[in-house]
Amino acid sequence: MSAAIESDVLIVGGGPAGAWAALAAAYAGARVVLVDKGRCGSSGPTAKGFVALWNIPPGPAREEAVRQSFANGGCLGDPEWMRRVLAETHRRVDQLVRWGYRFPGERAGLPARVCLDGTAYLGRLRRSLIVAGVRILDHHPALQLLVDAEGVVSGASGVQLRNGYQTWTARAGAVVLATGGCAFLSGGAGTDVDTGDGLLMAAEAGGELSGMEFSSAYALAPVGQVRLTALGDDGNAARVVPAPDLALHFATLYDETGAAIGDGPFGSRAAAFEAIADGRRVYAALDEIPGPLRTQLTASALAPRVQLRPVLEGTVRGTGGLRILDFDCSTTVPGLFGAGDVTTREPITGAVGGFGGQGGAWAISSGVWGGAGAARFARGRGRLGKVRPVPGAGLGTDASIDPRAVVGLVQEHTLPLRRSYWRSAGSLRDSIAELDGMWPVTECDLGGDGPERLRAREAAALLAVARWTKYSALARTESRGMHRRTDHPGEGSDWRIRLHAGGVTSVWVHPEQRDPGPATPHADLTPA
């Protein structure tokens, strides 16, 4: 049994980027359907804690933030994109306030509107979607894109996981992918839904990626269950949430001898990863969290210090994703738009991740722009003709390979610090050989019926993303931002260029300038 759905704009993904995209498309007069793998408003990383927000009022401070972001990002960002994101974010934060959202601690005179309570934020967005007339389909993961005879994206198909398993097909004049990044099932809070599905769907339709080498973002997470109590506006405990990376980012870190690690938050993190890789234990002093975060978050039945472990966040907190062409967040595939972590964030973060709130700002801005762009595109298409699904890996009906075997191989080559945090040509080529060797099996022998079909598709997506990250990392023979090559530890001035990637059966990597000439090292970046 299959359900047929019709809309002007289809949004795939129900996190903040998808919600903002749906709202923008609805406000533009489009009929909007939003499908989510989980429940829109309560799944994904944002729902699991507090979120920093790059929100700076107009003035000298905003220009200084642009300057610093460009420099910190290894000069791979774009100041014009940064200014637009800051302006859009500031406007939408005002809109949130008008809707009744209360920023944590604002009454107490803390820095205003730079930290979001994820659960309250997503709850407010879901209510706004309902008011705007958006049709929300929870537990409806998408598996394939649909295209017309000219290859224009015209919807998606997938499965319904609740109330009896069935398939669904949604035809639409345009699609916004907001499926999030890929954390390789590392166990990070809320990242179980971030398996790279949207990246694979787009690439199978001919989409290009960018910045996939900047995928080695790790978080420091407590060993075991450590929880923090979030304070309401009145200063009383409102609820208990998992200890967020936002708070740990500002905690003082110590090794097992009691000596402080590193200098500053970023230096501390780097030193912590080195210590853990050397077999030492690393601890965070939660009672030393400074200023506003100490007021917003109070330790509940905690020891003064808690042991930490590294958790790979991949492209969720990293940078790489779908290449976008313009300020409407259109991709290289007609009819397909992107928003949030599924897209590259190089224009605003460069070679580093969104640790300073850029990720939250990008979700808002790209969502608004992608939703509005999709609505305009759909208006100009007219009546849809025949559509067909894009063939893809992991969609066979007969499964002779267990998805867990694919996932296990991917995690072996992504999760350890020695594989993703520190890289070398030798380790990268070793990973590429094993991952490439698995891919033909994935295309032919991975699939299933019912919920197993989703597990198989996720395994294929994890494998595809791992391959793109390894090929891109091998092509960039320098260290820049979060990309670290032990065999190329320096940053090269001639590498101030973005790398595009793509391909499914055969992966390719090219510089942004297709033919830079023989005088540069970028003439051929595709590994032999």
Side-chain angles (χ1 to χ4, degrees):
M1 182 178 180
S2 179
I5 303 163
E6 298 281 341
S7 67
D8 298 321
V9 174
L10 175 67
I11 312 294
V12 183
W20 282 107
L23 288 170
Y27 290 159
R31 295 174 302 150
V32 183
V33 171
L34 184 152
V35 295
D36 191 15
K37 183 189 288 189
R39 182 182 185 277
C40 172
S42 59
S43 65
T46 298
K48 303 305 179 182
F50 287 83
V51 179
L53 194 61
W54 203 36
N55 178 31
I56 303 171
R62 180 180 288 183
E63 279 303 307
E64 177 61 17
V66 169
R67 186 195 67 77
Q68 289 183 0
S69 184
F70 181 75
N72 293 339
C75 302
L76 291 186
D78 187 325
E80 177 61 21
W81 276 90
M82 297 176 195
R83 293 186 185 99
R84 286 177 179 252
V85 166
L86 284 165
E88 188 69 60
T89 301
H90 198 61
R91 282 194 295 270
R92 300 303 166 177
V93 163
D94 287 343
Q95 186 174 350
L96 272 175
V97 173
R98 291 196 300 272
W99 286 343
Y101 177 79
R102 303 295 296 275
F103 280 80
E106 194 169 12
R107 281 185 175 179
L110 302 173
R113 304 178 183 179
V114 295
C115 180
L116 292 162
D117 178 335
T119 300
Y121 173 42
L122 290 175
R124 173 56 59 185
L125 287 176
R126 183 179 176 104
R127 289 192 291 274
S128 298
L129 290 171
I130 294 171
V131 171
V134 174
R135 183 182 178 189
I136 302 173
L137 298 175
D138 298 317
H139 309 292
H140 278 63
L143 301 180
Q144 295 171 277
L145 291 175
L146 307 178
V147 295
D148 65 11
E150 284 73 42
V152 180
V153 172
S154 305
S157 63
V159 294
Q160 174 186 319
L161 301 179
R162 298 288 176 88
N163 302 319
Y165 171 84
Q166 67 174 346
T167 61
W168 57 264
T169 299
R171 290 160 45 96
V175 173
V176 180
L177 283 179
T179 52
C182 181
F184 302 104
L185 295 178
S186 62
T191 62
D192 56 308
V193 295
D194 291 322
T195 51
D197 311 359
L199 295 171
L200 179 56
M201 285 191 286
E204 289 169 340
E208 295 185 7
L209 313 171
S210 186
M212 294 303 290
E213 68 271 33
F214 305 121
S215 56
S216 56
Y218 280 83
L220 290 169
V223 173
Q225 289 293 321
V226 175
R227 304 175 72 82
L228 298 173
T229 303
L231 298 185
D233 289 330
D234 58 359
N236 295 319
R239 59 188 177 85
V240 177
V241 297
D245 183 58
L246 177 62
L248 294 175
H249 178 75
F250 291 97
T252 303
L253 304 184
Y254 298 89
D255 66 14
E256 54 199 359
T257 69
I261 293 178
D263 181 21
F266 291 103
S268 295
R269 282 169 172 255
F273 294 140
E274 292 182 9
I276 293 171
D278 289 339
R280 290 183 286 154
R281 295 180 179 179
V282 172
Y283 298 85
L286 295 180
D287 57 345
E288 296 180 12
I289 295 174
L293 283 176
R294 187 190 303 169
T295 304
Q296 294 169 19
L297 302 171
T298 61
S300 175
L302 295 175
R305 298 181 183 179
V306 60
Q307 187 179 348
L308 301 179
R309 60 186 175 90
V311 177
L312 179 63
E313 294 182 315
T315 68
V316 174
R317 191 73 67 90
T319 297
L322 287 178
R323 179 185 165 209
I324 50 179
L325 300 179
D326 210 339
F327 295 114
D328 63 355
C329 290
S330 55
T331 71
T332 54
V333 182
L336 184 65
F337 297 75
D341 293 346
V342 75
T343 63
T344 180
R345 280 129 288 162
E346 287 170 301
I348 63 165
T349 67
V352 299
F355 293 101
Q358 290 96 330
W362 179 249
I364 294 173
S365 303
S366 62
V368 170
W369 299 337
R376 285 193 297 270
F377 187 91
R379 262 197 315 271
R381 285 195 70 178
R383 187 179 180 86
L384 293 179
K386 291 184 178 180
V387 300
R388 61 176 176 83
V390 177
L395 294 171
T397 55
D398 296 325
S400 60
I401 184 171
D402 191 332
R404 291 176 294 183
V406 178
V407 174
L409 178 67
V410 169
Q411 291 183 328
E412 177 186 340
H413 288 275
T414 55
L415 299 190
L417 289 168
R418 69 180 188 280
R419 290 291 188 180
S420 291
Y421 192 77
W422 292 287
R423 295 158 164 169
S424 68
S427 68
L428 289 166
R429 288 196 176 101
D430 173 64
S431 293
I432 287 171
E434 293 208 33
L435 296 171
D436 279 355
M438 176 64 80
W439 184 257
V441 180
T442 304
E443 287 188 308
C444 301
D445 301 320
L446 188 64
D449 293 320
E452 286 305 310
R453 192 172 180 84
L454 173 61
R455 302 283 86 81
R457 186 60 164 163
E458 289 178 334
L462 291 169
L463 180 58
V465 176
R467 294 170 72 219
W468 292 318
T469 64
K470 300 299 181 182
Y471 272 92
S472 298
L474 181 61
R476 185 175 287 279
T477 53
E478 63 153 2
S479 291
R480 183 180 299 272
M482 71 170 63
H483 170 71
R484 301 166 188 85
R485 287 284 296 266
T486 58
D487 51 349
H488 295 281
E491 181 179 288
S493 60
D494 55 346
W495 277 100
R496 291 181 180 177
I497 190 169
R498 299 175 192 169
L499 298 183
H500 299 162
V504 179
T505 300
S506 297
V507 174
W508 57 263
V509 180
H510 298 307
E512 191 169 30
Q513 297 174 346
R514 292 291 182 176
D515 185 16
T520 74
H522 313 305
D524 183 8
L525 296 178
T526 304

